[in-house]
Amino acid sequence: MTIRLVTVDGHTLHRFGLSQLMHQQQDIEIIGEASSAAEAVALVGELMPDVVTVDVSLPDRNGLTLARELRDRFPELGIVVLTSFGEDDVLFRAMETGVSAFVPKTASATEIVCAIRHAGVAARSFTAPGLAAALVRLRDARDSSPLSAREAEVLRLLQRGLTIPLLARTLHVSNSTAKTYVARLYDKLGANSRSQALMAAMERGLLRPPALAGADGW
């Protein structure tokens, strides 16, 4: 079986490098390339590939938002997210979108090829290099804080003044899911409003005052 692949990346050099790597694989064939999210949606709909690789940073849209749209439109499509950002929160966001694999661009050629092959046969099963270690770090963070990693992130975004729609877009989730995150956070902090939640968090040492937070670029 030959895996029919479409690549989506705003950088010509990155697309070329991936193309060269795929030409060395007998079971993978690149049938199309897109440099933007808009091109990608049209191209995938036209060519109906088995797998698509999506860069997180696209010129017209966030790659994770594109990945979620592709998952919704094409349930059986294998989706591999490639990124220059290997942070745990990006990995978990990718997992939440329903993609097949998450691979840092610093990964080995073997890991990238394996991720594409995985996506070709198990589109709805998630894999990522370092996933086990990331889950351990997430567990440790949860054990040391009353807030989950996502709730802590929501708290920081609330401190920055984001509304529910902006919160949803930033986290790449629906408005209803964002509201659920906020409600859970309020419940844990015993708060009924944003101001109460922020005050309670600062009193418990879960959040730094705005002046200090701003110094770190929050």
Side-chain angles (χ1 to χ4, degrees):
M1 169 187 162
T2 298
I3 298 173
R4 301 167 68 250
L5 176 69
V6 164
T7 63
V8 185
D9 197 305
H11 299 279
T12 302
L13 187 59
H14 292 170
R15 295 198 307 274
F16 175 76
L18 193 59
S19 176
Q20 292 298 105
L21 176 61
M22 293 307 111
H23 283 325
Q24 301 172 26
Q25 316 305 316
Q26 295 183 350
D27 59 335
I28 303 175
E29 176 189 4
I30 292 186
I31 60 172
E33 297 181 6
S35 60
S36 68
E39 290 179 11
V41 173
L43 194 61
V44 170
E46 175 187 350
L47 300 180
M48 296 301 292
D50 302 306
V51 178
V52 58
T53 61
V54 178
D55 183 21
V56 167
S57 300
L58 296 173
D60 60 337
R61 198 169 169 191
N62 184 284
L64 294 181
T65 305
L66 170 62
R68 178 174 290 277
E69 179 179 349
L70 291 175
R71 171 55 69 232
D72 291 341
R73 291 195 180 196
F74 310 101
E76 302 308 314
L77 175 66
I79 304 173
V80 177
V81 171
L82 297 175
T83 176
S84 300
F85 309 100
E87 291 87 351
D88 289 351
D89 64 326
V90 183
L91 185 156
F92 291 125
R93 287 182 195 174
M95 185 164 61
E96 287 179 352
T97 67
V99 303
S100 315
F102 173 91
V103 187
K105 289 183 177 178
T106 54
S108 68
T110 299
E111 287 175 318
I112 294 173
V113 172
C114 285
I116 292 171
R117 288 177 178 149
H118 165 85
V121 298
R124 304 304 294 266
S125 174
F126 182 77
T127 186
L131 176 59
L135 289 172
V136 170
R137 288 191 292 272
L138 176 62
R139 183 198 63 197
D140 291 343
R142 286 176 173 172
D143 290 344
S144 63
S145 170
L147 303 182
S148 68
R150 177 46 60 88
E151 288 164 349
E153 183 178 16
V154 169
L155 180 63
R156 291 193 295 269
L157 294 175
L158 289 177
Q159 186 185 39
R160 287 168 49 186
L162 270 66
T163 61
I164 291 294
L166 283 176
L167 190 69
R169 284 200 291 272
T170 301
L171 298 175
H172 312 294
V173 298
S174 66
N175 282 357
S176 61
T177 299
K179 289 178 182 178
T180 299
Y181 288 154
V182 172
R184 289 176 181 170
L185 177 64
Y186 283 6
D187 184 59
K188 283 192 175 183
L189 294 175
N192 295 313
S193 67
R194 180 194 301 255
S195 59
Q196 288 181 7
L198 295 178
M199 182 63 69
M202 283 188 281
E203 288 175 351
R204 299 184 190 185
L206 300 174
L207 194 66
R208 286 174 288 181
L212 295 179
D216 286 346
W218 287 11

